[in-house]
Amino acid sequence: MSEGPSQPASSGSSSTAYRCFLFADLRGYTAFVERAGNAAGAALLEDYLSVTRAAVAQHQGAEIKTEGDGFYAVFPSASGAILCGLDIVRGAAEVSADRPERPIRVGVGINAGEAVETPEGFVGSAVNVAARVCATASAGEVLVTGTVRGIAQASIPVGFASRGRRRLKGVADPVDLFAVTGEGAPLVPRRRLRPWLLVTGGVLAASVLAVAAVLILRPQAPQASDSPSPSSRPPSLEIGSLDIGSYWADQFQPPFELLISDPGWSVYRSGPEYVGLYNDSQPQGHVDIGRVESVYLNACAAGGETLQTGSTPLELLSALETVDYMSVGTPETIAIGGHSGVSANVDISEGALAACGSFGSGEVNVFPVGSETWRAHPGERVRIQAVDVGGITVTLMLSAEAAAASSVSELERFFEVADRLLDQMSF
């Protein structure tokens, strides 16, 4: 264990204090060391700790402990902790741009509450929750609890994108989570589902052949019209809440148009390779749109070896069938925006992280999407849809929140809401 300078708040008897707790952690550090070697790993860790310590000092925080690539600090205010978190991910991005051979991919989690102050630091549920929130955050993300948002939202000029009510490992009650949408903090979706009975995927091979035959024999779907001219385009799809109406996802490639007909939708990720939408109305859930080219063979947080998903929607589903921690249901033919494709329910194994040891953060690596990782939880069911848009496979990942998925019927209700959104999508 490597420890940085510790600043415990007291050296006498323990006492209770109300503080804000920040945890930061490198994503993919173990895999990086295995690939690049110990010397490169040490240099990456030095860069990361330098950025993190500078941000903590700038915002009047106190470093409590550094353990490997994990960092723990305490702040007197929620605003200071949030601004520090934003500076950490911003500084990491800037250093990574100068040294792309060793990118700093850091996730930050923040919570506030009472904890017992001891000579070794703070002890209590508020600290434990902050650590679990950090484990849930992805690279470049600052994730906070509803408590932190409530304290700070009127004090600093940042936004908060709802990530739903989540169950965190070792925490009895679900926790409201929000991704900070301040400048320099790209957002990555998160999902949590109630465990479901696994669907046997052994029939996929025969089903894929049947679907392939249907796709070959069916008349070619009409191609989408050319992109609208700039003067006729609807507003750009940007991070934040969406009113009823049409939006143009001009950053994503290939660009697409969405017609929002149900209230409650918001955007928490928008870029050339990944668009994430969240429905805050019941039943809550996510629709994630990305260009998926590979799937992780190792479910553990360290990532590692991937399998290429091919160049067609059918090949993508076939690749998922070979992954040990997935069970793929019978595929069906679909059409989105005039483009043909396939759809299947995919269940993540309850024991997906059993062999991960200390590297299991509670989430399963599924897809690399650009520079980010799309993750799920053991026992989670998602619906994977893929369509061919001019030779580009666009993948859509539908998943419901734990609170909404209390039954199969509730899960299907969310899928109906999501399908209504995708029925009005055009490329």
Side-chain angles (χ1 to χ4, degrees), residues 195-232:
W196 299 101
L197 293 176
L198 300 184
V199 176
T200 301
V203 299
L204 180 67
S207 300
V208 164
L209 292 177
V211 172
V214 172
L215 290 177
I216 291 171
L217 296 174
R218 69 185 294 175
Q220 182 64 35
Q223 294 299 308
S225 59
D226 293 337
S227 299
S229 63
S231 60
S232 63

Side-chain angles (χ1 to χ4, degrees), residues 170-216:
V171 180
D173 297 323
V175 178
D176 291 317
L177 295 182
F178 297 85
V180 182
T181 59
E183 182 180 356
L187 301 175
V188 180
R190 276 294 175 274
R191 306 147 304 277
R192 180 65 176 99
L193 273 186
R194 179 185 180 90
W196 299 101
L197 293 176
L198 300 184
V199 176
T200 301
V203 299
L204 180 67
S207 300
V208 164
L209 292 177
V211 172
V214 172
L215 290 177
I216 291 171

Side-chain angles (χ1 to χ4, degrees), residues 191-193 346-348 375-382 399:
R191 306 147 304 277
R192 180 65 176 99
L193 273 186
V346 177
D347 290 279
I348 307 299
R375 298 185 176 97
H377 280 74
E380 181 172 354
R381 168 172 288 182
V382 298
S399 57

Side-chain angles (χ1 to χ4, degrees), residues 92-117:
E94 291 172 353
V95 173
S96 297
D98 293 335
R99 302 168 187 171
E101 72 281 2
R102 55 173 192 265
I104 306 174
R105 305 182 69 245
V106 58
V108 177
I110 302 173
N111 185 40
E114 287 190 346
V116 176
E117 191 175 6

